[in-house]
Amino acid sequence: MIVTEEDHDVRLRHCLLLSSDPRLKVGPLEDKLLLDVDNAGKDVRYLTSSPKGPEVQSLVKEQDVDEGEERITSRAKIAWLVAALLLAVGSYQLNNTMIAPANPLIIKELGSDTATVGLAQTLFLIVGAISAIIVTRVSDWTGRRRALIFSLASLVVGNLIVATAPNIGFYLAGRTLSGLCGAVFAFAFLILHDVLELKTFSRALAVIAAVKAGLGGGEAVLSGIIVDHLGYRAVFWTMLAFTIVALVVCRFAVPEKVTSKPQRIDWTGSILIAGGLTGISLALSQGGKWGWLSAPTLLVLLGGVVLLVAFPFAERRATSPLMRPSELRSRNAWPLLSANVLILAGAFGATGFVLPLLAQNAGAGFGMTATESALLYVMPVSLVGFAFAPIAGSVAPRIGWRNILLGGLAVTIVAMIVLAAASESPMLAFLMTLVLGAFYTGMVLTALDGLGVLLASKDEPGALTGFNTAAFGIGASLGVAITGGVITSSQLNGAPTHGGYALALWICAGLVVAGSLFSLLIPKRGVGIVDEQVPAGEAGQRVA
């Protein structure tokens, strides 16, 4: 349909008349040309420009979208919802924290090495990151609960494959499939934000976010005991049973939420970002084994970089992009995402991968059992964080999540440096895990989650929240990949050296420092302060 300049004014006045109807949700109209109004005002079509030419899009009626239930204020209902979401995110997180004590036995029984087992964890985390980006965005129109159930079902099947894996190939396949559950944190945060008031949301989010370092630390100890007495396979059977319980509870306790009209999946963007992240992670995790300058490492790394570079260009042409380029370029997004990736790469790489391996290595480390390692170096990070996170959630409505993030990072950096400098001291390592539990897990992780929800676009909340959740997985997978490669490349006669562990810890500290610099660029407004005065019409706008 061709619209002449003469009749545009008439159609525009018609559109403005209809847009005053409260039943219509009218999005931004910059650079758009009205085409027509069809079906008695049910479909307002307009022309919008794009690099591949004019495209016809439609305004969406609010009545076509389920805006969800009213805010939940009953303490009993809030507790029931939070408990269900805790089970969901706990199912995914168990696959992070219960694995570390089992890694040495997995390497031995499946005839593998540190780099390959590290690759399994990398694939789990990177698929989780990809899932968080794509599935969270799709859940905007398919429903949060439906997407959550799908994710938990994928985790059940993945754990079943790993528990029965006859070789390292099946183990890798099962861990990769399990990673499809990576969007559960994003679902939990979005659901809480949809149904709770801001003050209550901050407290509830803090409890959920604390699970990112484990369920209080007890599961790491349990894993160590299981590994020592029943073997590593029993760990995966335990996680499978837990996930089945979570799936059933969430089916009945979590309300459904749809926030937008059905859209096309951005397959091009999905393939580009999935391939790019996988290529870079594979090169980093296997570089020490293949050779950092070998042809396979360089080819896979270059391929991943090329795909990621192509991603924003593809998003400009997409009708329904995973994230609008304008939002991705805004200060609401890129500083937060960059900080997230770097901080998680450093902190998780140190506490979730390097330190447990160092503690259990008899020759180059502390020579502890899996149980002892879990009690001293895995459990404190989670348990202390679980206690401090609600405190951060209570303070956030008064000072905002940004200030909590910066304060937590200042102490986290000091603890990471001490951990690397005193890597030969079991006692100092234990003390630093206590500090990291309080300030990294309890404050930094919680603040990053809160900012990912509060700075998201109101029209497409799943976009930034999904990318932010993915940043956790991307950062953690990069941390495991980098440190695993460093430890492997520093081996002497096929055995890890203390120098390799120490170097890995120093690299982790450097990554946290780099992430902290990006965090300084995060906007100061819209960060969870309850009494913050936002001018009319400014709420939900992006900071350029």
Side-chain angles (χ1 to χ4, degrees):
M1 179 178 182
I2 300 177
V3 180
T4 64
E5 191 171 326
E6 288 76 17
D7 66 0
H8 176 252
D9 287 342
V10 175
R11 296 180 183 272
L12 180 58
R13 285 195 296 271
H14 191 187
C15 179
L16 292 175
L17 177 62
L18 285 172
S19 66
S20 64
D21 186 337
R23 296 174 303 166
L24 291 176
K25 177 195 285 185
V26 182
L29 293 175
E30 61 271 16
D31 299 326
K32 295 180 177 67
L33 179 65
L34 174 67
L35 285 180
D36 208 347
V37 180
D38 298 328
N39 301 323
K42 292 182 180 179
D43 184 19
V44 180
R45 297 187 300 133
Y46 56 87
L47 195 67
T48 182
S49 60
S50 73
K52 64 180 181 182
E55 295 179 350
V56 175
Q57 297 185 3
S58 298
L59 302 179
V60 182
K61 284 182 61 177
E62 236 177 337
Q63 64 186 40
D64 291 334
V65 179
D66 178 10
E67 294 292 345
E69 300 177 356
E70 296 180 355
R71 301 287 179 180
I72 297 177
T73 57
S74 167
R75 290 186 178 182
K77 290 183 178 180
I78 292 173
W80 176 234
L81 175 61
V82 171
L85 295 176
L86 276 174
L87 288 173
V89 298
S91 298
Y92 176 77
Q93 196 58 28
L94 286 178
N95 280 263
N96 280 328
T97 53
M98 290 190 76
I99 301 301
N103 279 335
L105 190 58
I106 293 172
I107 293 172
K108 179 180 179 181
E109 292 195 7
L110 295 182
S112 187
D113 52 42
T114 302
T116 304
V117 171
L119 173 62
Q121 186 69 358
T122 298
L123 290 173
F124 170 78
L125 293 169
I126 208 66
V127 171
I130 295 167
S131 171
I133 293 173
I134 299 172
V135 181
T136 304
R137 182 71 179 90
V138 173
S139 74
D140 280 346
W141 64 83
T142 62
R144 310 285 188 215
R145 184 179 63 190
R146 182 181 300 176
L148 176 61
I149 296 301
F150 163 79
S151 298
L152 292 173
S154 300
L155 187 56
V156 169
V157 177
N159 279 330
L160 179 62
I161 294 174
V162 173
T164 58
N167 53 50
I168 193 65
F170 277 87
Y171 179 84
L172 289 171
R175 291 294 289 159
T176 301
L177 179 61
S178 297
L180 288 176
C181 194
V184 292
F185 277 100
F187 297 148
F189 300 144
L190 287 169
I191 290 169
L192 291 175
H193 189 250
D194 289 336
V195 301
L196 299 181
E197 296 177 348
L198 181 57
K199 185 179 294 186
T200 308
F201 161 75
S202 295
R203 296 193 182 100
L205 176 137
V207 174
I208 299 294
V211 177
K212 284 197 170 181
L215 303 179
E219 80 287 355
V221 178
L222 175 62
S223 176
I225 295 174
I226 292 174
V227 170
D228 289 339
H229 295 87
L230 300 175
Y232 81 88
R233 295 181 189 274
V235 172
F236 291 95
W237 286 115
T238 301
M239 293 190 298
L240 187 151
F242 188 97
T243 306
I244 291 175
V245 173
L247 192 154
V248 174
V249 173
C250 286
R251 172 62 182 83
F252 295 101
V254 176
E256 187 57 282
K257 178 66 179 178
V258 179
T259 59
S260 70
K261 190 176 181 179
Q263 304 173 32
R264 293 181 180 179
I265 297 177
D266 178 15
W267 289 113
T268 301
S270 300
I271 292 172
L272 288 175
I273 199 165
L277 293 176
T278 302
I280 292 175
S281 296
L282 185 62
L284 291 175
S285 65
Q286 298 299 292
K289 183 177 180 180
W290 294 345
W292 291 109
L293 297 179
S294 66
T297 301
L298 295 177
L299 184 62
V300 173
L301 179 61
L302 180 61
V305 171
V306 169
L307 292 176
L308 286 185
V309 170
F311 172 72
F313 294 96
E315 293 301 272
R316 294 177 185 176
R317 294 177 170 269
T319 303
S320 302
L322 296 176
M323 180 184 287
R324 293 192 305 273
S326 59
E327 183 174 7
L328 187 59
R329 291 192 303 267
S330 74
R331 280 185 56 198
N332 279 26
W334 68 265
L336 174 64
L337 298 177
S338 300
N340 210 335
V341 170
L342 292 169
I343 293 168
L344 263 292
F348 182 85
T351 60
F353 189 70
V354 178
L355 196 53
L357 289 176
L358 173 65
Q360 295 181 59
N361 191 303
F366 306 151
M368 297 179 176
T369 65
T371 303
E372 292 170 338
S373 171
L375 278 170
L376 292 176
Y377 303 117
V378 179
M379 183 175 179
V381 176
S382 176
L383 185 60
V384 177
F386 216 79
F388 269 73
I391 298 175
S394 298
V395 175
R398 294 195 293 272
I399 67 174
W401 286 113
R402 182 180 184 274
N403 287 330
I404 290 177
L405 172 63
L406 296 178
L409 280 173
V411 181
T412 297
I413 290 173
V414 174
M416 293 289 294
I417 292 174
V418 173
L419 182 62
S423 58
E424 295 182 355
S425 171
M427 179 57 69
L428 276 177
F430 169 69
L431 293 176
M432 289 308 99
T433 58
L434 293 176
V435 175
L436 289 171
F439 292 92
Y440 158 61
T441 306
M443 295 178 63
V444 174
L445 288 185
T446 309
L448 289 170
D449 281 323
L451 292 169
V453 177
L454 295 171
L455 295 176
S457 164
K458 290 187 176 182
D459 294 331
E460 299 172 352
L464 180 58
T465 304
F467 269 80
N468 192 52
T469 301
F472 282 89
I474 294 169
S477 66
L478 288 178
V480 172
I482 293 171
T483 55
V486 169
I487 293 170
T488 300
S489 62
S490 302
Q491 288 182 344
L492 184 62
N493 297 324
T497 64
H498 183 82
Y501 289 127
L503 178 59
L505 289 174
W506 276 114
I507 291 174
C508 289
L511 290 169
V512 174
V513 171
S516 301
L517 297 178
F518 280 100
S519 69
L520 295 173
L521 300 175
I522 295 173
K524 298 179 180 180
R525 301 203 51 149
V527 293
I529 301 177
V530 171
D531 59 354
E532 180 180 35
Q533 296 299 317
V534 180
E538 188 176 316
Q541 290 183 356
R542 297 180 296 277
V543 179

